[in-house]
Amino acid sequence: MNEAVLVLNANFEPINVCTTRRAIGLILSGKADMVLNGRGHIRTVARLLPRPSVIRLEVQVHRPRPRVKLTRREVFRRDNYTCQYCGRRDGGLTVDHVMPRHLGGEHIWTNVVAACPACNHHKGARKLEESRMALAHLPKEPPANAAYLYGQHLSKNGEWEPFITGW
Ligand SMILES: [Zn+2]
């Protein structure tokens, strides 16, 4: 009952991921329709319920343009789990502030990168130019489009792809 279900707005824009339990609740209360099943059924005492993979809300939900929350996990994901100084992918990663915080560097998308512990230590509390290190990519805020927000679910839920593409 805890599998991921893709929730589409009334205009078919993907807006959320919920659990099977929540999705069935939304369908039974008339707030959503099943768009895609593909997972068989759940037998209860009273009836056979579908196990939705994609549902669509009956009424369009208005909400602000989504943004990707700045967290360690999202920084690593944006940077493809790669140290932005040396390109290493193995070993643990840390979040490095390109302009060190004690020099006024902010905790914002354009000032944080994934760095391996060795590079983070080597750079230390110096500015980038003082460290003579170089970044693989200039850090940017990742796009909050559906491909970025929900693409991570595609390995388990390949059937979502047509619903995510283009949003
Ligand atoms: Zn490194």
Side-chain angles (χ1 to χ4, degrees), residues 72-88:
R72 288 166 54 84
R73 203 173 67 100
E74 292 292 350
V75 170
F76 299 158
R77 189 156 81 93
R78 178 198 65 183
D79 292 344
N80 201 20
Y81 306 95
T82 305
C83 173
Q84 294 298 291
Y85 294 108
C86 72
R88 278 181 62 154

Side-chain angles (χ1 to χ4, degrees), residues 45-107:
V45 180
R47 55 177 151 176
L48 207 57
L49 296 173
R51 287 173 90 89
S53 173
V54 180
I55 63 170
R56 173 176 165 243
L57 299 177
E58 288 280 327
V59 178
Q60 177 81 6
V61 170
H62 296 279
R63 50 182 204 136
R65 192 181 152 273
R67 295 182 70 181
V68 179
K69 205 171 166 209
L70 176 50
T71 62
R72 288 166 54 84
R73 203 173 67 100
E74 292 292 350
V75 170
F76 299 158
R77 189 156 81 93
R78 178 198 65 183
D79 292 344
N80 201 20
Y81 306 95
T82 305
C83 173
Q84 294 298 291
Y85 294 108
C86 72
R88 278 181 62 154
R89 297 202 65 175
D90 53 335
L93 282 173
T94 63
V95 171
D96 177 60
H97 290 89
V98 180
M99 173 63 79
R101 299 211 70 174
H102 77 277
L103 296 175
E106 289 181 79
H107 189 63

Side-chain angles (χ1 to χ4, degrees), residues 117-155:
C119 287
N120 202 334
H121 182 75
H122 179 70
K123 181 164 169 289
R126 296 178 292 180
K127 294 181 191 175
L128 186 61
E129 52 270 30
E130 291 167 352
S131 70
R132 302 197 177 182
M133 296 164 81
L135 285 169
H137 305 99
L138 275 184
K140 293 181 194 155
E141 179 168 342
N145 57 29
Y148 190 90
L149 293 174
Y150 307 113
Q152 58 194 312
H153 294 278
L154 285 180
S155 56

